[in-house]
Amino acid sequence: MTAKYRLLALDMDGTLLNDDQVITPKTVEWITKAVDAGVHVCLSTGRAFRSAMPYAEQLGLKTPMITVNGSEIWREPYELYRRSLMDPALIEQLYQIAEDYGIWFWAYSTEQVYNRKNWDGDIMGREWLKFGYSTEDDEIRHKLLMQLQDLGGLEITNSTPHNLEINPLGVNKAYGIGEVCRLLGIEMSEVVAVGDSLNDLAAIQQAGLGIAMGNAQKTVQQEADAVVATNNEDGIAEVIEKYILPS
């Protein structure tokens, strides 16, 4: 295959999925065309594996996958290649900060997602991948960000303007895509990365072609090489038609 781009790395929420959490028929059609043309299509998401996998199955993807913002890289569906864990003592700290502010939080273990509703306090007995906070109070969120930056050693992003997501420093979607490139024997310059939030920013900056959705956060649009239609207007179909399989 002589295509310039050989890997399409897709964020899910706000990118591949519309606001109803559905991949539209037109987007499915164009992803199928890309796969048939020999392009690797890789889901690159902040979601946990079990939450992302049904969509990979819907698309018939057998390619590597990036989950939990790069904390897990899958060689193929159900075959884990690499996992980056967070120190349980750090999770304890992050949980205490959530309690101090009285805000919503979630924590991804290797088994399931915990939040304020199902938190049982068993921190040391589990392996942890990611922690997150959500608040619409801009002042609290800013204070929280400052506090997290002071802790150091953290990768701090978001998946909506109202949340903060924490992974180990250096663990992000760009790192994940780099690992997938090594698995597939391709270069970062051959990658198209698409997303809408700050957890997509590093990937968009480092890929051969970084594309922001029309609904992407302003910073993401400013850093992207191109901006396409929104997730509700088949932006991914546009990416493939215009940049990957141009006639």
Side-chain angles (χ1 to χ4, degrees):
M1 193 185 75
T2 57
K4 182 179 179 183
Y5 299 111
R6 298 174 60 198
L7 174 65
L8 174 59
L10 296 175
D11 170 53
M12 291 179 60
D13 294 281
T15 301
L16 174 65
L17 308 181
N18 67 15
D19 289 350
D20 295 324
Q21 307 284 290
V22 168
I23 310 173
T24 65
K26 183 178 179 182
T27 293
V28 171
E29 177 192 345
W30 277 97
I31 288 174
T32 302
K33 285 181 182 180
V35 171
D36 289 347
V39 177
H40 300 284
V41 176
C42 166
L43 299 185
S44 175
T45 180
R47 288 183 178 221
F49 175 79
R50 67 177 63 187
S51 174
M53 193 58 207
Y55 294 98
E57 288 174 340
Q58 179 191 346
L59 295 169
L61 301 181
K62 303 283 188 259
T63 39
M65 254 170 82
I66 298 156
T67 56
V68 207
N69 289 345
S71 279
E72 290 184 331
I73 297 149
W74 303 80
R75 188 189 298 271
E76 58 184 52
Y78 301 105
E79 188 184 334
L80 185 66
Y81 171 65
R82 188 152 289 175
R83 178 178 272 161
S84 302
L85 297 175
M86 297 182 78
D87 184 344
L90 174 61
I91 297 294
E92 177 76 60
Q93 242 179 321
L94 297 175
Y95 165 73
Q96 195 53 56
I97 290 170
E99 288 297 288
D100 291 345
Y101 284 105
I103 58 174
W104 184 257
F105 71 89
W106 62 91
Y108 282 59
S109 79
T110 53
E111 302 299 323
Q112 71 176 84
V113 182
Y114 295 91
N115 57 42
R116 187 176 287 286
K117 286 184 177 175
N118 66 351
W119 189 257
D120 62 9
D122 182 13
I123 295 175
M124 297 301 166
R126 297 188 174 106
E127 293 183 315
W128 299 97
L129 298 166
K130 183 176 80 164
F131 200 95
Y133 303 97
S134 182
T135 174
E136 294 192 11
D137 187 317
D138 294 345
E139 188 180 343
I140 287 180
R141 201 168 53 255
H142 179 70
K143 284 181 182 174
L144 183 57
L145 178 60
M146 296 298 103
Q147 196 168 343
L148 293 171
Q149 288 174 340
D150 286 345
L151 284 177
L154 305 177
E155 193 81 18
I156 307 166
T157 61
N158 74 23
S159 57
T160 78
H162 295 128
N163 73 27
L164 292 170
E165 298 196 341
I166 299 103
N167 290 77
L169 187 64
V171 174
N172 54 43
K173 293 184 182 183
Y175 155 76
I177 292 169
E179 292 297 308
V180 169
C181 284
R182 277 188 274 282
L183 284 171
L184 297 175
I186 63 180
E187 300 296 324
M188 207 65 172
S189 60
E190 299 174 289
V191 175
V192 177
V194 195
D196 71 308
S197 298
L198 294 187
N199 65 0
D200 301 303
L201 190 57
I204 284 171
Q205 289 168 329
Q206 294 179 39
L209 183 66
I211 298 182
M213 300 298 286
N215 53 286
Q217 294 174 39
K218 194 172 181 181
T219 304
V220 179
Q221 293 196 22
Q222 288 170 340
E223 290 293 317
D225 299 307
V227 179
V228 293
T230 71
N231 63 317
N232 291 321
E233 299 167 326
D234 292 300
I236 296 305
E238 182 185 340
V239 170
I240 298 166
E241 186 175 9
K242 192 181 283 188
Y243 299 103
I244 296 177
L245 302 176
S247 52

